Amino acid sequence: MTKTASTTDTTDVPGFIGSGEPPFTARPLHELVAEQAERAPHAPAVTCDGQTLTYQQLITRAQGLAERLRAAGLAQEDVVGVLMPRSPELIVALLAVLIAGGAYLGLEPDDPPGRRESLLKDADVAMVIVDDALRDRVPDGITTVSEDAAAPRPTTGPTVPPLPGHPDRLAYVSYTSGSTGEPKGVAVPHRAVDRLVRGADWMEVRSEDVFFHIAPVAFDASTLEIWAALANGCRLVVFPQVAITLEQVAETVRTEGVTVLLLTTGLFHQMAGSRLDAFAGVRHVLTGGDVASPSHVGRLLAAYPQLVFTNGYGPTENTTYTTCWTSSTLAAGQSVPIGHPISGTRVAVLDGSLRPVPMGECGELYAAGAGLSRCYLHRPAATAERFVPDPFATEPGARMYRTGDLVRWTPDGTLEFVGRADEQVKVQGYRAEPRAVEVELEHMAGVRHAVVLPQADPAGGTRLLAYVVPTDPDPGNAIGLGRQLRLDLREKLPTYLVPWAILIRSELPLNRNGKVDRRALPTATRVPRNVGNEFVAPLTTVQLRLSELWGELLGVEPIGIEDDFFDLGGHSLLATELLVAVQREFGVDVPAQTLFFSPTVAEFATALVEQLEEQPR
Ligand code: ADP
């Protein structure tokens, strides 16, 4: 594929910039992969931990599984759950669902059971492809199928022969958070993905390119990773570890010779901050999902002037990317633009009356074209609210998606991201609506009122802080309520939505209109420890210093030596911050693995002391 010049063609439709028509006629994704298998059957398609599937092996295994799915009753556009760790088998499963005419729903193995059940119910899922080790996480009443290369082909063929694929058919469903507490399933057709991965004017794809799959499959960054690789005949390197550490990412990228590397913004900042060496062999680095920091982008481009960098912007509803800024230089003092609409996408910056705003003024971004998803699954009201009639289109029924993002055109013709028009924030790379967590809390026993606010965390991201007024005004009875609520939320919500801390208050400050005055709430940066185990005070100097570092990073006090870093609210990005602090303080590089296997202060201190003793003096 050749790179076409990046353009911002103005169509004759006022208000919109870009062409909503992709460069090629849309095709179903699995047909593109099958074509690659015909063209180069022995070319490597998927590599993971020393194991490789060629294109022919990939397609043959996927066809076998597709036949079994159809024999088990899968009908056109049925949503099939996929509950598997990142692995070659997962890629086979996704392709099989598409070949069989279904749409996949990627499920996170570590989601709480309550959330998994509600997603499966919401999407009307009757069948889940599951890894044997995870089978007991599938609720009763749902058919389970495993991806097993040795499974016999079904003897009873499907009653309906497979239909030829169609680009308007659904390819997958991806859930995003909704402000009512109910996640919404974005229903994405093949056409929308095809426009992202073929003939892109913001990314050059070469057949010898090696892509990296590290995003959770429930998250739409994986759409680009997987289908850009397989639709273009490239090799896809699957990162199998659940716990992501910077060393392992750097090591895999280097040893596998990854050339196109997409890292979500939080992880990109950490890699550019402490593992710049990982990018040495990479040709094109992409990031997206949150505001990119100019200093990290500048650092990367200064170290590797030949490298191409893309800041990709876009909501799941317009299929991974809507606009991209692709460049090899960033002027000093410049923020990182979000660029132009990508091929197959049109965007407009409009005011509250849907009139285009002049250049330089802030307005809301609307997106249209081939990347639009079909709807929010089974939610016509929410769909009608966000996918609105396109007043600029000549074709009847045309829609545009209201992103809720505020942007402005800059004089050089690129878009600049300004912020959100609503309360939505990004927590650990995921869209989070604090209101959704408030709704969840207000349904719980003992809660009269809840307010959830975002707050900056020490890893450079955002965390949620909850304030709860209990139904029982007796302060004695509120003891332990915060801890209990956090435990209950963990059963229902994915970890990134569980507030870092829940503060119990007898009342909340009100403004003159009688509404909660969010700005007057005390912004705690330290909260009392909220874990089930007893407090055991540090004994040694190393334990004492480690518990202080733990406390600073996690914003919790006091820290006991038997407290677990991850129970206290630690996550992988904070783990990296901790290891950098340990390096600074003790002069040793402790591998991230050590923290995952020795997550309490006492265990980590022992491992650290051992490493200090082994060091040459
Ligand atoms: P993504 O796959 O990009 O994370 P989501 O649907 O989860 O998609 O989140 C989309 C939202 O994330 C956007 O509406 C915007 O608020 C924010 N976002 C995504 N990419 C960027 C970016 N490059 N710069 C600033 N904000 C971004």
Side-chain angles (χ1 to χ4, degrees), residues 174-177 186 219-222 264-265 287-292 310-321 323 336-338 401 403-406 417-420 422 424-426 429-432:
S174 178
Y175 275 84
T176 70
S177 87
V186 180
F219 188 41
D220 86 339
S222 68
T264 46
T265 316
T287 189
D290 211 338
V291 179
T310 291
N311 180 27
Y313 153 88
T316 305
E317 289 83 343
N318 196 44
T319 316
T320 311
Y321 286 165
T323 66
V336 188
I338 57 168
Y401 174 69
T403 64
D405 287 315
L406 300 175
F417 182 83
V418 177
R420 287 290 302 173
D422 57 17
Q424 181 181 295
V425 288
K426 279 291 178 96
Y430 291 93
R431 253 152 75 170

Side-chain angles (χ1 to χ4, degrees), residues 514-598:
K515 292 192 174 168
V516 173
D517 187 351
R518 291 166 183 256
R519 277 171 311 177
L521 284 164
T523 46
T525 48
R526 285 282 181 119
V527 290
R529 64 195 279 282
N530 233 341
V531 284
N533 55 294
E534 289 299 310
F535 173 77
V536 182
L539 301 168
T540 67
T541 335
V542 173
Q543 287 175 348
L544 183 65
R545 191 57 200 126
L546 282 177
S547 61
E548 283 166 3
L549 286 177
W550 241 252
E552 279 161 31
L553 269 173
L554 299 167
V556 176
E557 64 191 4
I559 304 277
I561 57 170
E562 283 171 15
D563 296 356
D564 182 311
F565 184 79
F566 299 98
D567 282 349
L568 291 166
H571 52 75
S572 53
L573 296 187
L574 281 171
T576 310
E577 295 294 318
L578 176 73
L579 298 174
V580 170
V582 167
Q583 207 306 319
R584 232 186 358 246
E585 186 102 3
F586 296 93
V588 273
D589 267 321
V590 182
Q593 220 55 343
T594 307
L595 181 62
F596 289 107
F597 290 121
S598 312

Side-chain angles (χ1 to χ4, degrees), residues 38 62 74 100 105 151 153 156 179 197 219 235 240 296 323 350 352 356 405 434 467 494 506 518 527 534-535 593 601:
E38 265 171 38
L74 181 101
L105 165 63
R153 305 230 37 151
T156 52
S179 52
V197 300
F219 188 41
R235 181 160 72 91
H296 289 89
T323 66
L350 306 178
D405 287 315
Y467 301 82
S506 57
R518 291 166 183 256
V527 290
E534 289 299 310
F535 173 77
Q593 220 55 343
V601 171

Side-chain angles (χ1 to χ4, degrees), residues 18 41 99 101 147 192 232 363 420 464:
I99 294 174
E147 196 296 302
N232 291 303
R420 287 290 302 173
L464 299 177

